[in-house]
Amino acid sequence: MSESEESNLSRALARRGAHVTGIDIAPRLVEMARAKDPSGNITYQVADLCQPLPAYQDHFDLIASFFVFNDVYDYRGFLATLHSALKQAGRLVLFMNNPYSLMLRGYFTDYFAASGQTFPYRGMREEGVKVHFYHRTLEDYLAASISAGFQLQQLVDVPTPEGSFKRREETVIPEG
Ligand SMILES: C[S@@+](CC[C@H](N)C(=O)[O-])C[C@H]1O[C@@H](n2cnc3c(N)ncnc32)[C@H](O)[C@@H]1O
């Protein structure tokens, strides 16, 4: 449901025949994503996914959210919106940072006490986009997902190979 310079998930799904709607809160990022889809096959929209989206009630077979869950100010509201936008047997695929990874990278020393802390990103600021990384524990996320009505089917923990984290200027990574 979200697309920017860094990801082409929406375009990859559209190429495979899906009818894709790409939604993000940042108008500048939506504009950039739209410019990368000259065919106009993807419907792009600016919306706050922490707020109800009645226009999309029971609408989607599949929602794929690519690295947004850690960055929303209200993760329970976000889950409620996604749940109501899915059809009855719909599926949600959530790509997210393992919250413990910030601990490993030294952003805090107490994983549990740090829950609720926010970290500003660099890299999108020059585009006029303010994004924050919100630390919450994996238990917070899982409990909220179950409360929102989701059932966990699979959890895939993907390692980040040492040194593969690119610190390019435009890369979306939390500031130290
Ligand atoms: C790390 S970026 C990932 C962007 C894109 N999915 C990608 O992979 O390149 C996080 C994205 O979450 C979006 N975002 C943050 N809060 C949001 C909200 N409440 N509703 C919708 N999008 C939000 C930001 O605008 C930003 O585009």
Side-chain angles (χ1 to χ4, degrees), residues 71-113:
D71 302 347
V72 293
Y73 63 88
D74 174 6
Y75 65 105
R76 293 187 185 90
F78 178 76
L79 288 166
T81 302
L82 300 197
H83 193 268
S84 81
L86 278 171
K87 292 179 183 169
Q88 185 97 38
R91 286 178 174 240
L92 168 65
V93 179
L94 263 180
F95 302 81
M96 65 184 290
N97 288 104
N98 183 325
Y100 204 78
S101 64
L102 257 71
M103 169 107 177
L104 295 177
R105 285 189 234 151
Y107 287 93
F108 42 75
T109 52
D110 188 327
Y111 173 76
F112 294 101

Side-chain angles (χ1 to χ4, degrees), residues 5 7-8 13 15 18 45 50 60 70 139 149 154 156 158 174:
E5 280 286 88
S7 112
N8 65 4
L13 291 171
R15 273 197 301 275
Q45 193 181 328
C50 297
F60 296 106
N70 302 97
E139 184 178 326
Q154 197 178 0
V156 181
V158 182

Side-chain angles (χ1 to χ4, degrees), residues 2 4 6-7 24-26 29 47-50 66-68 71 172:
S2 188
S4 81
E6 293 297 309
S7 112
D24 195 286
I25 198 172
L29 296 183
D48 180 352
L49 291 167
C50 297
F66 200 67
F67 291 107
V68 176
D71 302 347
V172 180

Side-chain angles (χ1 to χ4, degrees), residues 88-162:
Q88 185 97 38
R91 286 178 174 240
L92 168 65
V93 179
L94 263 180
F95 302 81
M96 65 184 290
N97 288 104
N98 183 325
Y100 204 78
S101 64
L102 257 71
M103 169 107 177
L104 295 177
R105 285 189 234 151
Y107 287 93
F108 42 75
T109 52
D110 188 327
Y111 173 76
F112 294 101
S115 188
Q117 274 191 38
T118 65
F119 303 86
Y121 278 86
R122 68 182 164 104
M124 287 176 150
R125 210 178 298 140
E126 62 275 16
E127 297 296 345
V129 181
K130 281 187 192 149
V131 181
H132 288 81
F133 184 100
Y134 295 80
H135 173 60
R136 300 121 182 175
T137 67
L138 205 50
E139 184 178 326
D140 292 339
Y141 282 125
L142 195 55
S145 303
I146 291 165
S147 293
F150 290 105
Q151 290 176 350
L152 180 64
Q153 298 284 321
Q154 197 178 0
L155 191 153
V156 181
D157 212 358
V158 182
T160 306
E162 193 62 38

